[in-house]
Amino acid sequence: MSDQRVVRPTPISGFPEWTPQVRAVEQRWLDHIRSGFESFGFASVETPSVENLDVLMAKGETSQEVYTLHRLQADDSDDSDAKLGLHFDLTVPFARYVAQHFNELTFPFKRYQMQRVWRGERPQEGRFREFTQCDIDVINVDSVPLHFDAELPRIVHRVLSGLDIPAWTLNVNNRKVLQGFYEGLGIKDPIAVIRAVDKLHKIGDDGVRAILEGEGLTAEQIDPCLALARVKGTGVEVVESVRALGVVSELLEEGLEELAFVLNDLADLPEDSVVADLSIARGLDYYTGTVYEASFDDDPGYGSICAGGRYENLAGQFIRRRLPGVGISIGLTRIFAKLVAEGRIEGGRVCPTDVMVVVPSADQRAEALRTGELLRGRGFNTEVFHSTAKVGKQIQYASKKGIPFVWFPPFEQGGEHEVKDMARGEQGPADPTAWTPEG
């Protein structure tokens, strides 16, 4: 027996992995999402898993979440990797990508990106260190038409409605409404208030009030802030509800008009699928207009399953051009992992093979290989058995893998091909150049 040390395989917290049956379902979801994005004319791009740290720091608040790179055997004097980190989202890399390829792109540039990202945070339900995001963004020179602020939630509604997931609601707000409202109250640091209000669903009114008191706000300022956060509705009536609070500012009015445009444009979607929720803030500083956040209706505390918003200067910081954008991201892993944990994912097949070709003997292996090529050429996923084991063992292998058809090439010179339907238990003659499964 080898004296080599055995390393016990254990799962790494926060890094999900699936069996082939579950992974097959996840891939179908990815294909569905990809098809949905492309149906609206979005093009695919992929950026490296790593970015320069100065690029990743563009968001400001995420420095503690970034995984930096360092080679295990690196010399102390070699810091070539020290300025690189794994990307923690897809928006910042996309902004860098647009600036770098500015002269090669057609604007408005509509892209989708489906990749893994990494965040160094404590794993818990719905939060992972490695996960897949599915993003769509539009970036344009100088200005992005408000049309896209409404089109992105429409795309998400179409995509998620085609997946078998629990009921969910997409909440929408506008940062100009929040900032303009707070400025109208004479608040000197509206961003600090936005960050506090963004915690409302986690810490409640009293928790937010305590934070705002710590920021030096008076009760006359805090009460209207909390009143604004309670405004909610499915139509433009929310605009009048905000105006009824009596706060006036130019930026507030601009934000209300933008919010009304988005709500009107989405009015044809099913009732309550898009809700204006004035408590939605999205804590990241770079959001400047429309913001989105979706959650499960029966489990809002699980975390957002979709989020995003409009940003003005994220791409422009890499190039001397004004490149505003708007984007939204589907948290695929967060959604999928919940359904897996709850046993709501019905696994797919163990393997994608349509037909397994039996190898009767070493002498007939060449014929088995030729048959496999014929079937693949006609579009069937085909594997040829890997040895000349007894035919019963080969069939047993196909059964365990859930392969629907087993092909028998001629066992002797001049014999005919046969195929067995594993589900029906029926077997009969077949021509590899013309055969088509029944049903």
Side-chain angles (χ1 to χ4, degrees), residues 95 98-99 102 107-108 138-145 176 254 258 288-289 310-325:
V98 170
F102 179 79
F107 293 92
V138 181
I139 281 184
N140 196 33
V141 179
D142 295 331
S143 66
V144 177
K176 292 178 184 177
E254 183 180 336
E258 291 182 2
T288 56
R310 177 177 278 254
Y311 45 90
E312 295 298 323
N313 302 311
L314 198 57
Q317 67 185 314
F318 302 114
I319 187 174
R320 293 186 176 179
R321 297 296 299 265
R322 180 172 167 78
L323 293 170

Side-chain angles (χ1 to χ4, degrees), residues 131-309:
F131 52 97
T132 299
Q133 285 190 182
C134 304
D135 283 25
I136 41 174
D137 283 78
V138 181
I139 281 184
N140 196 33
V141 179
D142 295 331
S143 66
V144 177
L146 198 59
H147 155 81
F148 290 112
D149 291 48
E151 182 175 73
L152 296 192
R154 183 178 297 280
I155 296 170
V156 166
H157 182 271
R158 181 187 182 98
V159 167
L160 292 186
S161 295
L163 296 172
D164 187 16
I165 66 174
W168 56 279
T169 299
L170 179 66
N171 297 299
V172 61
N173 196 2
N174 193 297
R175 288 283 288 260
K176 292 178 184 177
V177 172
L178 300 179
Q179 187 163 341
F181 189 90
Y182 302 151
E183 288 176 354
L185 289 170
I187 295 171
K188 295 181 179 179
D189 188 2
I191 297 300
V193 181
I194 287 174
R195 288 177 185 157
V197 172
D198 193 50
K199 299 180 175 69
L200 181 64
H201 295 288
K202 295 181 180 178
I203 62 177
D205 284 16
D206 291 343
V208 171
R209 184 180 293 275
I211 293 176
L212 296 182
E213 288 174 347
E215 292 288 339
L217 272 67
T218 65
E220 290 73 20
Q221 292 172 318
I222 295 173
D223 289 342
C225 290
L226 293 174
L228 177 67
R230 286 190 285 269
V231 174
K232 197 171 184 178
T234 58
V236 293
E237 72 276 359
V238 298
V239 172
E240 296 309 317
S241 297
V242 174
R243 288 176 178 149
L245 295 175
V247 178
V248 178
S249 83
E250 207 172 291
L251 186 62
L252 169 62
E253 194 59 31
E254 183 180 336
L256 289 174
E257 290 177 2
E258 291 182 2
L259 181 59
F261 176 91
V262 172
L263 293 173
N264 278 325
D265 208 65
L266 298 172
D268 61 302
L269 294 181
E271 187 177 3
D272 295 334
S273 57
V274 177
V275 173
D277 184 342
L278 276 296
S279 69
I280 299 300
R282 301 301 298 159
L284 295 171
D285 291 351
Y286 68 84
Y287 288 123
T288 56
T290 305
V291 287
Y292 317 102
E293 193 167 290
S295 59
F296 289 124
D297 293 349
D298 63 351
D299 193 4
Y302 181 69
S304 61
I305 61 172
C306 178

